[in-house]
Amino acid sequence: EDQVTQSPEALRLQEGESSSLNCSYTVSGLRGLFWYRQDPGKGPEFLFTLYSAGEEKEKERLKATLTKKESFLHITAPKPEDSATYLCAVQAGDSNYQLIWGAGTKLIIKP
Amino acid sequence: GAGVSQTPSNKVTEKGKYVELRCDPISGHTALYWYRQSLGQGPEFLIYFQGTGAADDSGLPNDRFFAVRPEGSVSTLKIQRTERGDSAVYLCASSQNRGRWGTDTQYFGPGTRLTVL
């Protein structure tokens, strides 16, 4: 069964303390892996799409990487405004629209 | 428009009532999706429209849920005889749909928080 697992469920960091969030997946035929950010009371905001192992993408303090089994969202020197829930989703197989979602990692950056 | 919009932002109703939730997608996006999200979970797929037709409604939980997109733009999710278990955030997303072999990025609206008392 296709599955996406995110860890940890929650992560508390001090401002400036770099860390990584993990998204592990077991799917048949990866088409794309998506990272979204979700603030309380808002819809998910698109961050990155990764298509193949070895690919990396960066945006400000965030860098997403992909292997054949997992993706990491690295956050460098985070600021309080980076606090949010980060969601990972995978598109796989024959479907060009179905997304398999993880439950998210709630990131809290303390000033 | 600049992004996906949803109305209302909040809806409180009583058990057994009928509700309609509206989604206005990004201009030019042919694909539209409805999801439901509970606290601490990722979005749960409900239905996918390609143009005016529902291409996949396999996620609708039962026949109390129905969605339409009559002109291929705005969509309405309709819930009849609401139950307390329907309380959740209902999210709408849209994408350009690059065809069977493309990978579409879905862009989400702010959601409608539905509370059934």
Side-chain angles (χ1 to χ4, degrees):
Chain A
E1 182 184 347
D2 294 341
Q3 195 169 0
V4 176
T5 304
Q6 291 188 246
S7 61
E9 288 185 11
L11 182 61
R12 289 173 172 78
L13 301 172
Q14 286 294 137
E15 183 174 1
E17 180 184 1
S18 302
S19 189
S20 297
L21 314 183
N22 179 264
C23 172
S24 297
Y25 62 92
T26 52
V27 299
S28 300
L30 178 72
R31 295 171 67 108
L33 184 143
F34 301 81
W35 281 100
Y36 286 85
R37 168 191 171 127
Q38 187 171 27
D39 292 296
K42 297 189 176 181
E45 175 191 348
F46 171 71
L47 293 173
F48 305 109
T49 309
L50 301 168
Y51 296 98
S52 57
E55 188 175 1
E56 299 183 352
K57 287 194 177 172
E58 290 189 63
K59 179 180 179 180
E60 297 181 353
R61 293 176 293 281
L62 299 176
K63 182 167 89 171
T65 62
L66 182 65
T67 73
K68 288 185 177 180
K69 294 183 179 180
E70 58 193 346
S71 176
F72 291 94
L73 185 66
H74 307 277
I75 182 160
T76 302
K79 299 181 178 181
E81 53 262 41
D82 295 320
S83 298
T85 295
Y86 290 85
L87 293 164
C88 169
V90 167
Q91 205 169 73
D94 290 337
S95 175
N96 69 341
Y97 65 90
Q98 279 275 13
L99 291 174
I100 305 158
W101 292 86
T105 293
K106 184 174 182 178
L107 179 65
I108 299 170
I109 309 299
K110 296 176 287 185
Chain B
V4 179
S5 61
Q6 292 185 247
T7 55
S9 56
N10 280 285
K11 176 70 177 179
V12 180
T13 191
E14 294 180 344
K15 180 175 178 295
K17 298 290 188 182
Y18 169 83
V19 297
E20 289 189 352
L21 311 179
R22 176 188 166 107
C23 172
D24 199 342
I26 292 172
S27 177
H29 281 190
T30 58
L32 185 145
Y33 315 80
W34 283 99
Y35 292 87
R36 180 167 69 176
Q37 188 177 30
S38 300
L39 196 62
Q41 300 297 318
E44 172 195 3
F45 171 78
L46 297 178
I47 187 169
Y48 157 54
F49 285 90
Q50 181 53 243
T52 60
D56 183 353
D57 64 358
S58 63
L60 294 177
N62 52 59
D63 60 7
R64 295 186 298 105
F65 289 74
F66 190 70
V68 295
R69 194 185 184 200
E71 297 178 356
S73 179
V74 171
S75 176
T76 305
L77 179 66
K78 308 180 180 193
I79 310 174
Q80 298 178 322
R81 304 183 305 279
T82 52
E83 300 177 356
R84 293 193 180 89
D86 298 335
S87 296
V89 174
Y90 289 81
L91 295 166
C92 177
S94 70
S95 71
Q96 287 184 317
N97 191 276
R98 295 184 177 88
R100 179 175 175 80
W101 306 112
T103 303
D104 279 353
T105 297
Q106 296 180 21
Y107 296 91
F108 285 80
T112 293
R113 179 174 298 278
L114 176 66
T115 303
V116 182
L117 301 177

